[in-house]
């Protein structure tokens, strides 16, 4: 009975990790840029939801589109302000630029809003639970997981079916050829960065209902997203989805079996084991 | 090599003169940290710059070194000099265990694997009672009246000047080792592996073995830096030793100094460590994070406007002066590219 409860919690958390990872996977796969500031985008989205709730009394669920749009714009601006200048630079320069950005955003949040932990206590979803059989699940988690699934599926459909999505795929395969085919790769890169931001925009608004909000809130999710993207195989959205789910489950089950202090160690260990069998991730080729 | 030796001598002479010129604790502190991180950068440069394997987990070796000497002294009163060597050996052993299975991974998969290993080690140290877990270890201080020999034996000093020279000796030894390695047969093998794994293998180089040797040396050096750092700071905890920030700091100053060049780390460290120390001293006391905010902004600016690192600027200037001397010879551009 307790194991079912843990698996349910793990899967619900896994869907949120999946959404964060899908966002990271997009920029990583299409532009080959590891965005260290991904977690900070998430943190900013959480703060957006928090301030809309505490100043304008707008529920995080209603503020979600605003958060998404805001982080989308932030993503596009990041591309034009920073990434565009470093994308052709050798080696790890682009990564360091995003590392600088992450440091800047984290400390900007601390400067503006102090390092205090903040909570959204009385949103629409908070305090409610649902019982399925003998499993009790919190309403915030269910809503977050459901919205994460919708967003992930929407992105997959967008990449697979729309013209822009196909252009993104083409650019990921070969930038120069895509350019010769008449694709404006700069625009595609900007859109990709924006969508990547939108993913964490959604995730952040949803997570703000049941996670504390503080400047360093995003750092952990950056690292977990790196691992889940690598676990799934770079540039593979389906891989990122499953990577997120595996990590959610590993965290919940590992925490139960070996103690919560080791839950992330278990997550990283699973990556190291999987990578021995599939050196390019589960879905990599 | 003659030209490089001159540059090396100049750098060492300048650093050695600083404690004579100034007694300012802030300056000396910056020089000590600069030398420790430059040495770490050299270690990282071996595996990433020469062998082409990006590591985001050097904090693991740094931390292991710090913990080995600190625990040995804290628990059993053993001199840090022994702990320093032992820490290096343990870190090299960990590097061997972790690297051997990981070397078949390519590019980012390897980088994320090193990051994962560092995080696992951090989690273990956080909940390990024997090393005081998350509380961290405060290294017991010897009496203030102890004479210099005893202080040297226990690696604890009242002033910063001895630290500058200890770190300078360490850095000099490491940079000589690195430039020797670079110009040895092994260095050429490593560069061949970096450029193309398959081609290197086809001409009879065993990439895994050579990468492994490099990793062992790199881990050993990082661990010694860790021990020195722990003795200097006199307090360590898992969050500050094993954090991703330490790994990234090493990557940052090496890449922006000039990756794959023995002088890269010292150039990068000479710019970034004083910069971070300066912003910390001027703005850090408020606890508002302004110092790191500005530091982050500076990193963005440097990466955006000088993506080849500081050494790129030097090369550009050198090229320009060369061009002026030779006049109109177009070949230089092509040969200087890396």
């Amino acid at each position: 009975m307790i194991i079912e409860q843990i698996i349910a919690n793990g899967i619900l958390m896994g869907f949120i990790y999946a959404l964060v990872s899908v966002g990271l996977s997009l920029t990583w796969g299409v532009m080959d840029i590891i965005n260290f500031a991904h977690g900070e985008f998430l943190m900013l989205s959480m703060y957006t939801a928090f301030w809309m709730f505490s100043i304008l009394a707008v529920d995080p669920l209603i503020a979600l589109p605003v958060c998404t749009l805001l982080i989308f714009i932030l993503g596009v601006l990041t591309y034009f302000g920073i990434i565009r200048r470093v994308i052709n630079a050798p080696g790890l320069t682009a990564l360091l630029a995003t590392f600088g950005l992450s440091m800047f955003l984290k400390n900007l949040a601390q400067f503006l809003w102090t390092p205090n932990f903040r909570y959204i206590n009385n949103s629409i979803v908070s305090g409610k639970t649902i019982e399925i059989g003998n499993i009790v699940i919190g309403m915030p988690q269910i809503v977050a997981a459901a919205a994460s699934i919708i967003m992930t599926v929407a992105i997959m459909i967008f990449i697979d079916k729309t013209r822009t999505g196909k252009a993104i795929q083409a650019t990921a395969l070969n930038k120069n050829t895509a350019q010769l085919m008449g694709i404006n790769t700069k625009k595609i890169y900007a859109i990709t960065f924006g969508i990547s931001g939108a993913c964490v925009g959604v995730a952040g608004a949803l997570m703000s209902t049941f996670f504390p909000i503080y400047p360093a809130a995003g750092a952990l999710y950056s690292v977990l997203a790196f691992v889940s993207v690598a676990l799934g195989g770079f540039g593979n959205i389906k891989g990122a989805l499953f990577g997120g789910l595996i990590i959610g489950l590993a965290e919940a089950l590992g925490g139960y079996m070996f103690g919560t202090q080791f839950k992330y160690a278990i997550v990283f260990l699973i990556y190291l084991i999987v990578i021995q069998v599939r050196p390019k991730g589960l879905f990599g080729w | 090599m003659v030209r490089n030796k001159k540059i090396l001598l100049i750098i060492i002479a300048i650093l050695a003169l600083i404690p004579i010129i100034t007694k300012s604790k802030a300056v000396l502190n910056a020089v000590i940290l600069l030398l420790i991180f430059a040495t770490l950068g050299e270690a990282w440069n071996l595996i990433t710059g020469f062998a082409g394997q990006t590591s985001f987990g050097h904090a693991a070796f740094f931390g292991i070194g710090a913990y080995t000497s600190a625990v040995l002294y804290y628990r059993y009163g053993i001199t840090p000099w022994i702990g320093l060597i032992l820490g290096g050996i343990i870190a090299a052993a960990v590097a061997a265990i972790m690297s051997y299975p990981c070397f078949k991974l390519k590019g980012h998969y390897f980088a994320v694997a090193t990051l994962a290993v560092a995080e696992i080690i951090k989690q273990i140290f956080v909940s390990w009672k024997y090393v005081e877990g998350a509380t961290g270890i405060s290294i017991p201080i010897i009496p203030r009246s102890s004479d210099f020999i005893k202080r040297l034996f226990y690696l604890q000093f009242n002033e910063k000047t001895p630290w500058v020279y200890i770190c300078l000796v360490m850095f000099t030894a490491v940079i000589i080792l690195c430039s020797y390695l670079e110009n040895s047969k092994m260095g050429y093998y490593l560069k061949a592996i970096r450029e193309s794994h398959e081609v290197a293998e086809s001409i009879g180089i065993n990439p895994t073995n050579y990468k492994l040797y490099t990793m062992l040396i790199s881990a050993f050096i990082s661990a010694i830096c860790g021990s020195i750092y722990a003795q200097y700071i006199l307090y360590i905890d898992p969050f500050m030793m094993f954090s991703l920030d330490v790994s990234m700091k090493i990557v940052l100053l090496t890449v922006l100094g000039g990756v794959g060049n023995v002088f890269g780390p010292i150039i990068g460290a000479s710019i970034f460590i004083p910069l971070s120390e300066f912003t910390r001293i001027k703005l850090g006391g408020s606890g508002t994070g302004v110092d790191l905010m500005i530091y982050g902004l500076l990193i963005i600016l440097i990466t955006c406007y000088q993506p080849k690192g500081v050494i790129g600027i030097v090369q550009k200037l050198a090229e320009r002066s060369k061009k002026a001397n030779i006049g109109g010879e177009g070949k230089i551009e092509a040969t200087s590219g890396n």
Side-chain angles (χ1 to χ4, degrees):
Chain A
M1 184 190 126
I2 192 157
I3 202 89
E4 292 154 12
Q5 176 76 45
I6 286 159
I7 290 174
N9 286 349
I11 289 176
L12 290 181
M13 227 19 242
F15 278 115
I16 302 171
Y17 288 150
L19 180 57
V20 178
S21 313
V22 166
L24 188 72
S25 171
L26 271 174
T27 50
W28 209 334
V30 176
M31 307 156 82
D32 199 25
I33 282 187
I34 309 176
N35 184 7
F36 260 83
H38 199 62
E40 274 61 42
F41 287 2
L42 182 82
M43 176 270 296
L44 286 178
S45 171
M46 289 167 92
Y47 266 108
T48 312
F50 175 81
W51 289 118
M52 293 208 36
F53 182 76
S54 58
I55 295 174
L56 304 171
V58 177
D59 193 84
L61 286 185
I62 301 161
L64 194 145
V66 181
C67 297
T68 311
L69 188 68
L70 220 64
I71 308 299
F72 178 88
I73 293 169
L74 182 66
V76 174
L77 287 180
T78 305
Y79 173 73
F80 282 115
I82 301 170
I83 307 299
R84 192 167 53 95
R85 295 172 204 277
V86 291
I87 194 158
N88 292 321
L92 299 162
T93 312
L95 179 141
L96 290 175
T98 63
F99 178 70
L101 180 67
S102 108
M103 204 181 223
F104 174 70
L105 292 176
K106 198 190 304 175
N107 290 288
L108 180 71
Q110 185 174 335
F111 176 63
L112 293 176
W113 306 311
T114 74
N116 293 347
F117 279 46
R118 295 163 198 270
Y119 300 89
I120 296 178
N121 285 324
N122 36 355
S123 66
I124 300 174
V125 289
S126 56
K128 295 185 184 120
T129 53
I130 287 182
E131 280 184 49
I132 306 163
N134 38 24
I135 304 172
V136 184
I137 299 167
M139 199 64 176
Q141 281 85 344
I142 288 212
V143 173
S148 296
I149 295 170
I150 294 170
M151 183 70 183
T152 310
V153 171
I155 286 182
M156 282 169 136
I157 292 173
F158 175 78
I159 300 282
D160 261 0
K161 299 282 186 259
T162 63
R163 275 180 74 86
T164 317
K166 283 183 176 145
I168 292 178
Q169 286 187 44
T171 313
L173 278 177
N174 190 325
K175 188 193 163 196
N176 293 334
T177 316
Q179 223 159 8
L180 288 175
M181 298 299 131
I183 293 169
N184 183 348
T185 48
K186 285 210 177 87
K187 201 175 102 191
I188 291 299
Y189 280 166
I191 291 173
T192 311
F193 233 88
I195 296 174
S196 163
C199 288
V200 277
V202 172
L206 296 165
M207 283 162 76
S208 68
T209 55
F210 59 104
F211 272 116
I213 300 153
Y214 58 102
L220 172 68
Y221 298 101
S222 283
V223 177
L224 285 180
F226 293 159
V227 174
S228 78
V229 170
L231 190 63
F234 292 117
N236 192 318
I237 294 183
K238 203 166 68 182
L241 172 65
F242 281 97
L245 277 175
I246 291 171
I247 283 183
L249 267 175
E251 183 194 324
L253 285 172
Y256 170 64
M257 287 189 279
F258 303 99
T260 42
Q261 72 269 37
F262 290 120
K263 62 181 183 183
Y264 295 117
I266 300 298
V267 168
F268 295 122
L269 197 63
I270 284 182
Y271 168 72
L272 291 177
I273 293 167
V274 168
I275 214 80
Q276 291 309 314
V277 189
R278 302 267 314 163
K280 293 205 162 182
L282 288 173
F283 293 86
W285 38 268
Chain B
M1 265 319 276
V2 180
R3 194 184 55 138
N4 285 359
K5 250 180 212 156
K6 260 185 205 161
I7 299 173
L8 181 62
L9 278 176
I10 294 168
I11 292 173
I12 292 167
I14 292 171
L15 288 167
L17 279 175
I18 290 175
I20 299 168
I21 298 164
T22 174
K23 288 275 172 268
S24 155
K25 279 191 174 150
V27 173
L28 294 184
N29 179 47
V31 172
I32 292 161
L33 292 178
L34 183 161
L35 284 166
I36 291 176
F37 274 93
T39 316
L40 279 169
E42 294 289 348
W44 185 83
N45 207 4
L46 277 180
I47 191 69
T48 306
F50 297 150
Q53 297 278 319
T54 312
S55 160
F56 289 162
H58 262 57
F61 310 131
F62 181 63
I64 287 171
Y67 263 99
T68 312
S69 67
V71 166
L72 285 179
Y73 181 55
Y74 176 75
R75 293 264 176 216
Y76 312 106
I78 296 171
T79 160
W81 289 106
I82 293 173
L84 188 141
I85 302 296
L86 213 61
I89 292 167
I90 292 175
V94 170
I97 296 165
M98 114 185 192
S99 310
Y100 199 76
C102 286
F103 273 145
K104 67 179 175 193
L105 308 175
K106 295 260 158 68
H108 294 320
Y109 292 98
F110 180 81
V112 175
T114 55
L115 190 155
V117 170
E119 289 293 321
I120 291 173
I121 293 176
K122 176 164 98 186
Q123 304 284 342
I124 292 171
F125 272 80
V126 167
S127 39
W128 191 3
K129 276 278 171 329
Y130 179 70
V131 300
E132 299 290 349
T135 330
I137 295 175
S138 293
I139 294 167
I141 296 169
I142 57 171
R144 278 193 78 85
S145 55
S146 316
D147 59 354
F148 186 75
I149 301 297
K150 196 177 174 198
R151 293 203 164 275
L152 191 65
F153 185 70
Y154 286 111
L155 258 182
Q156 287 185 17
F157 303 101
N158 283 333
E159 297 134 27
K160 295 198 185 288
T161 315
W163 278 116
V164 175
Y165 291 112
I166 285 175
C167 294
L168 191 60
V169 168
M170 174 177 78
F171 171 74
T172 312
V174 169
I175 200 171
I176 289 172
L177 175 75
C178 287
S179 53
Y180 170 75
L181 277 179
E182 189 192 4
N183 295 298
S184 71
K185 217 172 194 176
M186 184 161 155
Y188 289 108
Y189 286 167
L190 289 176
K191 281 177 191 168
I193 294 166
R194 178 186 69 192
E195 296 306 324
S196 172
H197 196 277
E198 284 77 16
V199 173
E201 209 166 10
S202 76
I203 54 170
I205 300 168
N206 184 340
T208 316
N209 281 358
Y210 281 100
K211 282 193 278 189
L212 188 64
Y213 300 151
T214 320
M215 199 67 175
L216 297 186
I217 299 170
S218 181
F220 189 86
I221 298 171
S222 308
I224 288 179
C225 292
S227 299
I228 298 279
Y229 184 78
Q231 285 302 123
Y232 175 58
I233 301 283
L234 291 173
Y235 169 77
I236 51 172
D237 73 38
F239 302 104
M240 72 186 221
M241 300 313 293
F242 294 105
S243 75
L244 181 60
D245 279 357
V246 172
S247 298
M248 287 312 295
K249 209 171 178 181
I250 302 169
V251 178
L252 178 80
L253 58 89
T254 314
V255 170
L256 294 184
V259 69
N261 185 309
V262 281
F263 291 107
I266 185 74
I267 295 172
S270 317
I271 292 164
F272 280 95
I273 301 295
L275 205 62
S276 86
E277 285 299 302
F278 181 75
T279 46
R280 186 177 65 83
I281 290 165
K282 287 289 168 203
L283 307 159
S286 53
T288 51
V290 182
D291 56 328
L292 291 172
M293 205 170 103
I294 292 173
Y295 191 51
L297 205 59
L298 288 169
I299 295 170
I300 298 175
L301 287 176
I302 293 176
T303 48
C304 283
Y305 291 102
Q306 197 39 253
K308 268 195 168 174
V310 181
I311 226 159
I313 305 175
V314 179
Q315 276 172 350
K316 221 181 255 173
L317 290 177
E319 252 164 51
R320 204 170 289 167
S321 68
K322 250 187 214 167
K323 249 182 217 162
N325 289 341
I326 300 162
E329 234 181 287
K331 289 277 175 193
I332 300 161
E333 198 80 41
T335 49
S336 68
N338 42 23

